[in-house]
Amino acid sequence: MYPYRAQITHRHRFRVLAAWLILLAAILPVHPQAALSLPSTSASLTSTQAALTSAQIVDEMLRHNQARADGLKHYQSVRHYEVNYTGYLARIGAKLVVEANYDAISGKTFRVLSQSGSRLLVDKVLKRLLESEKDAAQDKNSTALTPANYKFRLVGIESLAGRPAYILEVEPLVDSKYLYRGKIWVDAGDFAVARIEAEPARNPSFWISNTAINHKYTRTDGFWLPAQNRSASKVRVGGTAVLTIDYGTYQVVPEAPMAGGGS
């Protein structure tokens, strides 16, 4: 009886974990950001830049990001997804290699190039992550990094990959499982989010004790696009799941040369 009960409990934990990893797709900040052509950025902040308030930084970030709808026509990359679950009763993992395409008109499409590891993780977690990402892209307003969903507080300035960046604390205005709380690094030259360290605003399940999200963007041809993600979730009564995504090297097609000065 006890082995059977343990097996049922393990399966329940796994189902909860799979649902939680899929939910992360709606939280992960994977929307492209456009970087307007601005005067060249030095390695240190000017006095004017340093004097900006958190509200001004966010306003500039939104103004620059508005350009993505007109400035980015298409991109393509080959992504590498990997998920590993280590618990008391099991150690399983899976990998998925995917060609990702974004089109300004038709949205995102994915083509699986290869898969390996646990078939259950491939089908119930990784492939469903792709579907969840497409669904989340249809309703960006409710999860967007804007004052409508978050409050922001400037907590510091530091160099990130050789470029100055503002550090902002972000706190969701609504206790939603589709939002997150933590810190963002905003590039001081392009006013694009370059890095995120956060956790989901609300935990939807007792079985998940905490989740740490680490997300990085890369600047490619004037656009800031997702580069890497690592999300680690702790399962109560034993077990850890780690989801990693390498977004690959992008081939970017702009709609047209972007206007200088953000106009």
Side-chain angles (χ1 to χ4, degrees):
M1 179 176 70
Y2 290 109
Y4 177 75
R5 181 180 299 175
Q7 185 179 24
I8 294 297
T9 302
H10 176 63
R11 287 178 178 174
H12 177 70
R13 279 199 217 120
F14 183 81
R15 287 196 297 268
V16 171
L17 181 62
W20 178 234
L21 289 171
I22 293 167
L23 176 62
L24 282 176
I27 301 174
L28 296 180
V30 294
H31 305 307
Q33 305 173 91
L36 294 175
S37 297
L38 295 175
S40 59
T41 306
S42 63
S44 60
L45 291 168
T46 66
S47 59
T48 301
Q49 289 173 312
L52 293 180
T53 65
S54 59
Q56 290 171 325
I57 295 169
V58 173
D59 285 344
E60 288 292 332
M61 181 179 71
L62 297 179
R63 182 171 69 88
H64 283 64
N65 285 347
Q66 183 62 42
R68 91 182 143 199
D70 298 325
L72 182 61
K73 179 180 180 181
H74 179 83
Y75 71 71
Q76 181 185 78
S77 70
V78 176
R79 300 181 180 181
H80 292 259
Y81 291 77
E82 183 173 358
V83 60
N84 290 285
Y85 171 68
T86 303
Y88 294 136
L89 299 177
R91 176 176 291 182
I92 54 177
K95 296 180 180 180
L96 198 65
V97 179
V98 177
E99 179 185 274
N101 285 274
Y102 167 80
D103 185 85
I105 297 176
S106 59
K108 293 180 180 178
T109 58
F110 302 102
R111 183 168 67 94
V112 175
L113 302 179
S114 68
Q115 62 186 53
S116 60
S118 165
R119 183 66 179 268
L120 188 61
L121 283 176
V122 167
D123 291 340
K124 300 299 184 181
V125 176
L126 296 182
K127 288 184 178 179
R128 290 186 64 183
L129 275 173
L130 303 179
E131 294 300 320
S132 297
E133 182 177 330
K134 288 195 293 187
D135 293 341
Q138 302 302 315
D139 183 23
K140 291 183 279 191
N141 290 335
S142 63
T143 60
L145 192 62
T146 67
N149 298 317
Y150 292 92
K151 59 182 178 181
F152 302 84
R153 186 170 72 92
L154 178 63
V155 296
I157 299 170
E158 72 176 24
S159 177
L160 189 64
R163 296 173 62 91
Y166 300 103
I167 307 172
L168 298 175
E169 281 187 352
V170 295
E171 185 72 22
L173 297 177
V174 179
D175 190 24
S176 168
K177 61 186 179 181
Y178 297 107
L179 302 178
Y180 58 86
R181 61 170 50 88
K183 294 180 180 179
I184 63 173
W185 281 254
V186 179
D187 185 89
D190 291 340
F191 289 96
V193 177
R195 178 180 174 186
I196 297 173
E197 290 186 359
E199 63 181 12
R202 180 164 64 88
N203 193 338
S205 172
F206 165 81
W207 291 99
I208 306 297
S209 61
N210 65 76
T211 296
I213 301 171
N214 291 273
H215 193 84
K216 295 179 181 179
Y217 284 88
T218 183
R219 193 179 196 274
T220 302
D221 296 335
F223 295 92
W224 288 80
L225 300 165
Q228 294 177 330
N229 177 271
R230 184 181 190 276
S231 301
S233 299
K234 294 286 187 179
V235 183
R236 296 187 191 275
V237 199
T240 301
V242 178
L243 169 68
T244 58
I245 307 173
D246 181 341
Y247 290 88
T249 301
Y250 291 92
Q251 297 178 353
V252 175
V253 178
E255 181 70 31
M258 286 178 283
S263 60

